Amino acid sequence: MAEITAGMVKELREKTDAPMMECKKALTEAAGDMGKAEEILRVKLGNKASKAASRVAAEGVVATHVSADGKLGAIVEVNCETDFVAKNTDFLAFSAAVAGLVASKNPADVAALSALDLNGASVEETRKTLVGKLGENVSLRRFARVPAQGRLATYIHGGAKIGVMIDVVGGSEGLGKDLAMHIAAAKPVSLSKDQVPAALIQKERDIATAKAAESGKPADIVAKMVEGSVQKYLKEVTLLGQVFVKNDKQTIEQLLKASNASVPSFTLYIVGEGMEKKKDDFAAEVMAAVSAANK
């Protein structure tokens, strides 16, 4: 059997970017043949990516890309399994590169994005290689490409767990940043009342009706109470209706009017929003490991 030296392992790692132990195993299996070892790693990393795909990836980052003139931007959510990997430089570089591709290539959906070229390989091939290197599932969850009517402003918060992109017409550059920070803090559902999903309004109306019914007041008074509750809710969840976080005497609508500005749209991404987070069961993992060792 050919001797597998540290230099050989280092060379294969530099060529493939695979983990050190995976490189050593591949070289051993290939009897020291560097070319064959590369092929083995490609197969193994692909298999590893397939196995990882079934695991929940609810951590990750929000990445943004904005053109120099602020007229075109993209925002993406890229997921992984742990916060540790979400801080990995390769994972962050991949996320930033994907955001740039969304802006420049305008893919129709995640499948189209995955097929795009990224430094000589497809995004999907690059993703699979990253899965093999990091040992965790990595997935492209969602993205938005934003051509601005005015100028784009962005804000990333909490270790890139919250990302905002907002299009602001008029006003100062500082206004755009302030509004983006406000959205990250206040998390509006939509820009205005007419954009709030009907299902959310109905849910709020049902709750308000149930509460008002317990008051024992006449039907006409109950109806007014319900409507008042719904209107209060709409102010709280719409950007224009919200009170500005930096000035509780002014709504965002009033701020925009005073600044001679308007907001055509905004995008807010919160990592893992609506996804089922993985729950670690340490005892179960230990028992599984013991069981596997006894087979």
Side-chain angles (χ1 to χ4, degrees), residues 115-167:
L116 292 176
D117 178 80
L118 180 60
N119 299 324
S122 71
V123 171
E124 176 61 12
E125 290 168 340
T126 305
R127 183 195 69 81
K128 286 184 176 180
T129 300
L130 192 59
V131 169
K133 181 180 180 181
L134 300 177
E136 284 193 14
N137 188 17
V138 173
S139 63
L140 305 175
R141 185 185 184 195
R142 53 182 172 170
F143 65 83
R145 184 176 184 269
V146 185
Q149 294 181 36
R151 184 179 179 86
L152 294 173
T154 63
Y155 179 64
I156 299 295
H157 180 74
K161 300 303 181 189
I162 300 174
V164 177
M165 179 168 287
I166 182 170
D167 181 8

Side-chain angles (χ1 to χ4, degrees), residues 31-163:
D33 185 314
M34 190 66 67
K36 189 174 180 181
E38 284 188 55
E39 292 180 10
I40 290 170
L41 277 178
R42 281 203 298 269
V43 172
K44 284 189 174 181
L45 292 182
N47 289 342
K48 195 169 187 179
S50 297
K51 290 175 183 176
S54 63
R55 302 200 296 264
V56 175
E59 295 296 336
V61 296
V62 177
T64 60
H65 177 92
V66 177
S67 61
D69 62 3
K71 290 293 187 179
L72 178 65
I75 181 169
V76 302
E77 179 183 348
V78 183
N79 298 119
C80 57
E81 296 176 55
T82 66
D83 189 52
F84 178 76
V85 163
K87 297 173 183 175
N88 178 273
T89 54
D90 292 321
F91 178 80
L92 293 172
F94 173 71
S95 302
V98 167
L101 274 181
V102 169
S104 63
K105 300 299 183 181
N106 193 21
D109 51 29
V110 170
L113 172 59
S114 298
L116 292 176
D117 178 80
L118 180 60
N119 299 324
S122 71
V123 171
E124 176 61 12
E125 290 168 340
T126 305
R127 183 195 69 81
K128 286 184 176 180
T129 300
L130 192 59
V131 169
K133 181 180 180 181
L134 300 177
E136 284 193 14
N137 188 17
V138 173
S139 63
L140 305 175
R141 185 185 184 195
R142 53 182 172 170
F143 65 83
R145 184 176 184 269
V146 185
Q149 294 181 36
R151 184 179 179 86
L152 294 173
T154 63
Y155 179 64
I156 299 295
H157 180 74
K161 300 303 181 189
I162 300 174

Side-chain angles (χ1 to χ4, degrees), residues 91-280:
F91 178 80
L92 293 172
F94 173 71
S95 302
V98 167
L101 274 181
V102 169
S104 63
K105 300 299 183 181
N106 193 21
D109 51 29
V110 170
L113 172 59
S114 298
L116 292 176
D117 178 80
L118 180 60
N119 299 324
S122 71
V123 171
E124 176 61 12
E125 290 168 340
T126 305
R127 183 195 69 81
K128 286 184 176 180
T129 300
L130 192 59
V131 169
K133 181 180 180 181
L134 300 177
E136 284 193 14
N137 188 17
V138 173
S139 63
L140 305 175
R141 185 185 184 195
R142 53 182 172 170
F143 65 83
R145 184 176 184 269
V146 185
Q149 294 181 36
R151 184 179 179 86
L152 294 173
T154 63
Y155 179 64
I156 299 295
H157 180 74
K161 300 303 181 189
I162 300 174
V164 177
M165 179 168 287
I166 182 170
D167 181 8
V168 183
V169 177
S172 65
E173 191 171 331
L175 175 65
K177 180 62 73 175
D178 279 347
L179 290 171
M181 292 176 69
H182 170 93
I183 291 168
K187 301 176 180 61
V189 169
S190 66
L191 178 63
S192 57
K193 294 179 181 180
D194 60 325
Q195 295 177 3
V196 178
L200 290 182
I201 297 176
Q202 187 57 52
K203 181 180 179 182
E204 189 63 26
R205 190 177 295 280
D206 291 342
I207 292 171
T209 299
K211 287 182 178 179
E214 295 177 357
S215 68
K217 294 182 179 180
D220 58 330
I221 300 299
V222 166
K224 289 180 181 179
M225 291 171 64
V226 170
E227 190 57 31
S229 294
V230 171
Q231 291 305 314
K232 181 174 181 290
Y233 166 76
L234 290 173
K235 287 181 180 179
E236 292 172 347
V237 301
T238 57
L239 178 61
L240 296 180
Q242 287 178 337
V243 173
F244 185 30
V245 292
K246 293 178 71 173
N247 180 0
D248 62 7
K249 306 298 182 185
Q250 187 178 45
T251 66
I252 296 298
E253 187 170 24
Q254 291 168 340
L255 171 64
L256 290 171
K257 186 175 181 179
S259 305
N260 195 27
S262 63
V263 174
S265 68
F266 74 87
T267 303
L268 166 65
Y269 281 172
I270 301 172
V271 170
E273 185 178 28
M275 297 174 70
E276 181 183 351
K277 300 264 184 171
K278 182 175 77 171
K279 295 180 181 178
D280 296 323

